[in-house]
Amino acid sequence: MVFGTIGTQYDYDFTADKFQIAFAFLDRNDLDRLPEGWINLDGGVRASVQHYTTMDAKTLSFETHERYFDIQYLVEGKEKIGVCTRKGLAVKVPYEGANDITFYEEPPLSGEVLLRARDFVILGPEDAHKPRCIADTPTAVIKIVVKVPVQIKRLLGNISGHN
């Protein structure tokens, strides 16, 4: 699943080398044995190995990123991720550049994605998301969040006739 809004489909190239680097990393057989922390890959792509227990969605906030896509991949466990467009959301904590993150107040309407082992979701800059939510009971999770640098191709799309 790729979550998005019509009008942004020409902005990004999910077949680009940076995405191929990310998915090649996620295709490894040892992800469940990697220590927590950051792993630098090629092309500015980096992966965060996370171990945690899912939490009540009411205690979490929606977030967005400006400089990176998130590929959120579940190695073990299950969790729900809240999703919606960030357009019109009220900012709770303004953008913090060092961590490339903005937090938002709870929107009146949002959806959710259920991730189980080997599932992933790709979230772009316009996609607000609330990860780490309990699916049915608090669950221990191993997750890899791969950060893929944003490279907008809208200008190229406009030149070639796409709007």
Side-chain angles (χ1 to χ4, degrees):
M1 169 188 161
V2 174
F3 179 77
T5 304
I6 293 298
T8 62
Q9 70 269 28
Y10 299 111
D11 286 356
Y12 312 111
D13 180 3
F14 294 111
T15 64
D17 289 344
K18 291 176 184 178
F19 282 97
Q20 299 308 308
I21 290 166
F23 283 111
F25 176 79
L26 293 174
D27 199 28
R28 295 169 51 154
N29 292 324
D30 65 344
L31 295 176
D32 61 335
R33 296 183 301 277
L34 294 175
E36 285 189 90
W38 286 98
I39 299 170
N40 291 317
L41 307 173
D42 293 330
V45 178
R46 57 194 183 125
S48 172
V49 179
Q50 305 174 1
H51 298 214
Y52 57 85
T53 299
T54 56
M55 298 181 275
D56 186 331
K58 293 176 186 168
T59 67
L60 301 166
S61 297
F62 277 85
E63 63 188 58
T64 60
H65 312 288
E66 302 297 325
R67 299 188 322 258
Y68 293 92
F69 282 91
D70 272 4
I71 301 176
Q72 299 210 6
Y73 176 79
L74 226 58
V75 178
E76 289 182 6
K78 62 184 170 187
E79 79 173 51
K80 287 184 180 177
I81 298 178
V83 291
C84 66
T85 181
R86 76 176 181 184
K87 186 175 181 178
L89 294 183
V91 173
K92 183 177 188 177
V93 179
Y95 181 72
E96 201 266 295
N99 291 315
D100 187 40
I101 196 163
T102 303
F103 290 103
Y104 298 89
E105 300 291 343
E106 188 70 22
L109 294 172
S110 64
E112 57 189 25
V113 175
L114 172 65
L115 294 183
R116 295 180 185 189
R118 300 191 48 82
D119 290 343
F120 71 89
V121 63
I122 300 173
L123 300 153
E126 56 279 324
D127 305 327
H129 52 285
K130 180 167 50 169
R132 299 182 173 222
C133 300
I134 292 170
D136 52 10
T137 60
T139 303
V141 164
I142 298 176
K143 186 199 289 186
I144 311 287
V145 178
V146 181
K147 298 288 193 174
V148 178
V150 170
Q151 182 175 353
I152 296 178
K153 64 176 219 171
R154 180 177 286 275
L155 292 176
L156 296 175
N158 287 341
I159 292 169
S160 64
H162 300 291
N163 292 322

